Amino acid sequence: MTTSDHLAIKQPRCEAFAWKWMRYSAFLLIPLVWIHAIIQDLITGGHNLSLEYVHMRWAIFGWRVYDIFLLAFAFSHGVNGLRQVLLDYSKSESATKTINWTMFIFWLVFASIGAAALIYGVRIP
Amino acid sequence: MHDNVNITLPGFAKYKGKGFYAFILHRISGLGTILFLTLHITTTATVFFAPQWYDVLVEIFRNPIIMIAEIILAFFVIYHGVNGLRIAYVDLIRPDLWKKKPTSRLISAVFIVTFLLWLPAAGILGYNLLKYGFNLFGS
C-alpha cells in the first residue's frame, strides 16, 4: 500500500495511524537498524558472538536502551507490515478480525520475550 | 495518480513494470526480515531464559548455509530500507512525485543505491564465510 490517497477510502482511524506508523518508524529504523547491523555483523561478526559477549555488551546501560528501541520499533513495524500484507488477502470481516488478533498476540508474545531478556539480562550459568 | 496503479481488491495495489518488482521485492524482503527478526529475538532471549543454550545456538548459526542466507538477508534489509525511505519520503513529503516518470526514476535510483550499499557488506560477509564457514586462509 504505497498510495497516499487510498486513505480517502473509508478506513477506520486506527488503520490511518498504522499506515503513518510504518512511515514514521521507517525514518527512525534506518539509523537504528543499520548502526546495529554494521556493529554486530560487519565489525564484531558472528564468529565473535558468545554469551560472554552479550553479557559485556549489556553491562553498558546505553546499549540496553538502544536494544529496547530497536525491539520496540523494528518488531512492531515488522508485525504490522505482515498484518497489512495478510489483510490484502482477507475477503471478509471475520478474516480481518482473525488476522488482527493473531498478529496482536504474535507481537505481544515475542516482544515480551525479548523485553524480559533485555530487562533481566544475561544469566551466567 | 492512477496512471501507474490499478486498485483490484480493496487496498491491494497491482502495479505494472518496474513498480511491480519494487513492490513485490519490498514484500518479500519484509517477510524475510520479520521471519529472521522473530528467530533473532527468540535466540537472543535465551541469554536470560536458557543461557546454556545460547552458545549452542550461535554455533548452529555458524553453518555456511546460514552465512549465505545472511548475505541475502543483508540485501533484503538494505533494499527494504532504501525503498522504504523512498515510499515514506514520497508519501509524507512529496506526494506530487506519485506519477509514472518520477516513480520510475526513483525506483532505478533505489536499485542502484541498494546495490552500492550491499557490495561492501557482501564483501565483508563473504570474506567471513570463506574464512570461518569454509576455513580458508588458514586459521
Side-chain angles (χ1 to χ4, degrees), chain B residues 16 27-30 33 36-37 40 46 56-57 60-62 77-78 80 83 89 94 101 107 109-110 116 133 139:
Chain B
K16 284 176 181 167
R27 291 209 153 180
I28 293 168
S29 60
T33 306
F36 162 76
L37 191 55
H40 182 53
T46 61
V56 180
L57 287 167
I60 294 170
F61 290 141
R62 285 185 188 133
V77 172
I78 293 167
H80 199 85
N83 193 50
Y89 172 74
R94 290 288 303 276
K101 257 211 183 108
I107 289 171
V110 164
L116 289 177
S139 59

Coordinates of all heavy atoms in Angstrom, one line a residue, chain B residues 16 27-30 33 36-37 40 46 56-57 60-62 77-78 80 83 89 94 101 107 109-110 116 133 139:
Chain B
K16 N 2.5 -2.1 -12.4 CA 2.9 -2.6 -13.7 C 4.4 -2.3 -13.8 O 4.9 -1.3 -13.3 CB 2.2 -2.0 -14.8 CG 0.8 -2.5 -15.0 CD 0.1 -1.8 -16.1 CE -1.3 -2.3 -16.3 NZ -2.1 -1.4 -17.1
R27 N 7.9 -6.6 -0.4 CA 7.1 -7.5 0.4 C 7.9 -8.7 0.8 O 8.0 -9.2 1.9 CB 5.8 -8.0 -0.3 CG 4.9 -6.8 -0.4 CD 3.4 -7.3 -0.5 NE 2.6 -6.2 0.1 CZ 1.3 -6.3 0.2 NH1 0.6 -7.3 -0.2 NH2 0.6 -5.2 0.7
I28 N 8.6 -9.3 -0.2 CA 9.4 -10.5 0.0 C 10.5 -10.2 1.1 O 10.8 -10.9 2.0 CB 10.0 -11.0 -1.3 CG1 8.9 -11.6 -2.2 CG2 11.1 -12.1 -1.0 CD1 9.4 -11.9 -3.6
S29 N 11.2 -9.0 0.9 CA 12.3 -8.7 1.8 C 11.7 -8.4 3.2 O 12.4 -8.7 4.2 CB 13.1 -7.5 1.3 OG 12.2 -6.3 1.1
G30 N 10.5 -7.8 3.3 CA 9.9 -7.6 4.6 C 9.6 -8.9 5.3 O 9.8 -9.0 6.5
T33 N 12.7 -10.6 6.5 CA 13.2 -9.9 7.6 C 12.4 -10.1 8.9 O 13.0 -10.4 10.0 CB 13.3 -8.3 7.4 OG1 14.0 -8.2 6.1 CG2 14.1 -7.6 8.5
F36 N 13.3 -13.6 10.1 CA 14.6 -13.5 10.8 C 14.5 -12.9 12.2 O 15.0 -13.4 13.2 CB 15.7 -12.8 9.9 CG 16.9 -12.4 10.8 CD1 17.8 -13.3 11.1 CD2 17.0 -11.1 11.2 CE1 18.9 -12.9 11.9 CE2 18.1 -10.7 12.0 CZ 19.0 -11.6 12.3
L37 N 13.8 -11.8 12.2 CA 13.7 -11.0 13.4 C 13.1 -11.8 14.6 O 13.6 -11.7 15.7 CB 12.9 -9.7 13.2 CG 12.9 -8.6 14.3 CD1 14.3 -8.2 14.6 CD2 12.1 -7.4 13.8
H40 N 15.6 -14.2 15.7 CA 16.7 -13.4 16.3 C 16.3 -13.0 17.8 O 17.1 -13.2 18.7 CB 17.0 -12.2 15.5 CG 18.1 -11.3 16.0 ND1 19.4 -11.8 16.3 CD2 18.2 -10.0 16.2 CE1 20.1 -10.8 16.7 NE2 19.4 -9.7 16.7
T46 N 17.4 -16.3 24.8 CA 17.9 -17.5 25.6 C 19.0 -17.1 26.6 O 19.2 -17.8 27.5 CB 18.4 -18.6 24.7 OG1 19.5 -18.1 24.0 CG2 17.3 -19.2 23.8
V56 N 25.3 -22.8 22.1 CA 24.9 -23.9 21.2 C 24.2 -23.4 19.9 O 24.6 -23.7 18.8 CB 24.0 -24.9 21.9 CG1 23.7 -26.1 21.0 CG2 24.7 -25.4 23.2
L57 N 23.3 -22.5 20.1 CA 22.5 -21.9 19.0 C 23.4 -21.0 18.1 O 23.4 -21.1 16.9 CB 21.4 -21.0 19.6 CG 20.2 -21.7 20.2 CD1 19.3 -20.8 20.9 CD2 19.4 -22.4 19.1
I60 N 25.3 -23.2 15.8 CA 24.5 -23.6 14.7 C 24.4 -22.6 13.6 O 24.5 -22.9 12.4 CB 23.0 -24.0 15.2 CG1 23.1 -25.2 16.1 CG2 22.1 -24.2 14.0 CD1 21.8 -25.5 16.8
F61 N 24.4 -21.3 14.0 CA 24.3 -20.2 13.0 C 25.6 -20.0 12.3 O 25.7 -19.2 11.4 CB 23.8 -18.9 13.7 CG 22.4 -19.0 14.1 CD1 21.9 -18.4 15.3 CD2 21.5 -19.6 13.3 CE1 20.6 -18.5 15.7 CE2 20.1 -19.6 13.7 CZ 19.7 -19.1 14.9
R62 N 26.7 -20.7 12.7 CA 28.0 -20.5 12.0 C 28.1 -21.5 10.8 O 29.1 -21.5 10.1 CB 29.1 -20.8 13.0 CG 29.3 -19.6 13.9 CD 30.5 -19.7 14.7 NE 30.5 -18.6 15.7 CZ 30.7 -18.7 17.0 NH1 31.0 -19.9 17.5 NH2 30.6 -17.6 17.7
V77 N 17.5 -6.4 3.8 CA 17.4 -5.3 4.7 C 17.7 -4.0 4.1 O 17.0 -3.0 4.3 CB 18.2 -5.6 6.0 CG1 18.2 -4.4 6.9 CG2 17.6 -6.8 6.8
I78 N 18.8 -4.0 3.3 CA 19.3 -2.8 2.7 C 18.2 -2.3 1.7 O 17.8 -1.1 1.7 CB 20.7 -2.9 2.0 CG1 21.7 -3.1 3.1 CG2 21.0 -1.7 1.2 CD1 23.1 -3.6 2.6
H80 N 15.0 -3.1 1.6 CA 13.8 -2.7 2.3 C 13.9 -1.3 2.9 O 13.0 -0.5 2.9 CB 13.4 -3.7 3.4 CG 12.0 -3.7 3.8 ND1 11.0 -4.4 3.2 CD2 11.4 -3.1 4.9 CE1 9.9 -4.2 3.9 NE2 10.1 -3.4 4.9
N83 N 14.2 1.4 -0.3 CA 12.9 1.5 -0.9 C 11.9 2.1 0.0 O 11.0 2.9 -0.4 CB 12.5 0.1 -1.5 CG 11.3 0.3 -2.4 OD1 11.4 1.1 -3.4 ND2 10.3 -0.5 -2.2
Y89 N 9.3 9.0 2.0 CA 9.6 10.4 1.6 C 8.5 10.9 0.6 O 8.0 12.0 0.8 CB 10.9 10.4 0.9 CG 11.3 11.7 0.2 CD1 11.6 12.8 1.0 CD2 11.2 11.8 -1.2 CE1 11.9 14.0 0.3 CE2 11.5 13.0 -1.8 CZ 11.8 14.1 -1.0 OH 12.1 15.3 -1.7
R94 N 6.7 14.5 -0.4 CA 6.5 14.9 -1.8 C 5.4 14.0 -2.5 O 5.7 13.3 -3.5 CB 7.8 14.8 -2.6 CG 8.9 15.8 -2.2 CD 8.5 17.2 -2.7 NE 8.3 17.3 -4.1 CZ 9.3 17.4 -5.0 NH1 10.6 17.4 -4.6 NH2 9.1 17.5 -6.3
K101 N 6.6 8.8 -14.3 CA 8.0 9.1 -14.6 C 8.9 9.3 -13.3 O 9.9 8.6 -13.2 CB 8.1 10.4 -15.5 CG 8.4 10.0 -16.9 CD 9.2 11.0 -17.7 CE 9.4 10.6 -19.1 NZ 8.6 11.4 -20.0
I107 N 12.8 4.6 -8.5 CA 13.0 3.2 -8.3 C 14.3 2.7 -8.9 O 15.0 2.0 -8.2 CB 11.8 2.3 -8.9 CG1 10.5 2.5 -8.1 CG2 12.1 0.9 -9.0 CD1 9.3 2.0 -8.8
A109 N 16.9 4.6 -9.0 CA 17.9 5.1 -8.0 C 18.0 4.2 -6.8 O 19.1 3.9 -6.3 CB 17.5 6.5 -7.6
V110 N 16.8 3.7 -6.4 CA 16.7 2.8 -5.2 C 17.6 1.5 -5.5 O 18.4 1.1 -4.7 CB 15.3 2.4 -4.9 CG1 15.2 1.2 -4.0 CG2 14.6 3.6 -4.2
L116 N 25.0 -0.6 -4.4 CA 26.2 0.0 -3.9 C 26.4 -0.2 -2.4 O 27.5 -0.3 -2.0 CB 26.2 1.5 -4.3 CG 26.4 1.9 -5.7 CD1 26.3 3.4 -5.9 CD2 27.7 1.3 -6.3
G133 N 33.4 -20.0 7.6 CA 32.5 -21.0 7.2 C 33.2 -22.2 6.5 O 32.8 -23.3 6.7
S139 N 44.0 -20.7 9.7 CA 43.5 -20.1 10.9 C 44.4 -20.6 12.0 O 44.4 -20.3 13.1 CB 42.0 -20.5 11.1 OG 41.9 -21.9 11.2

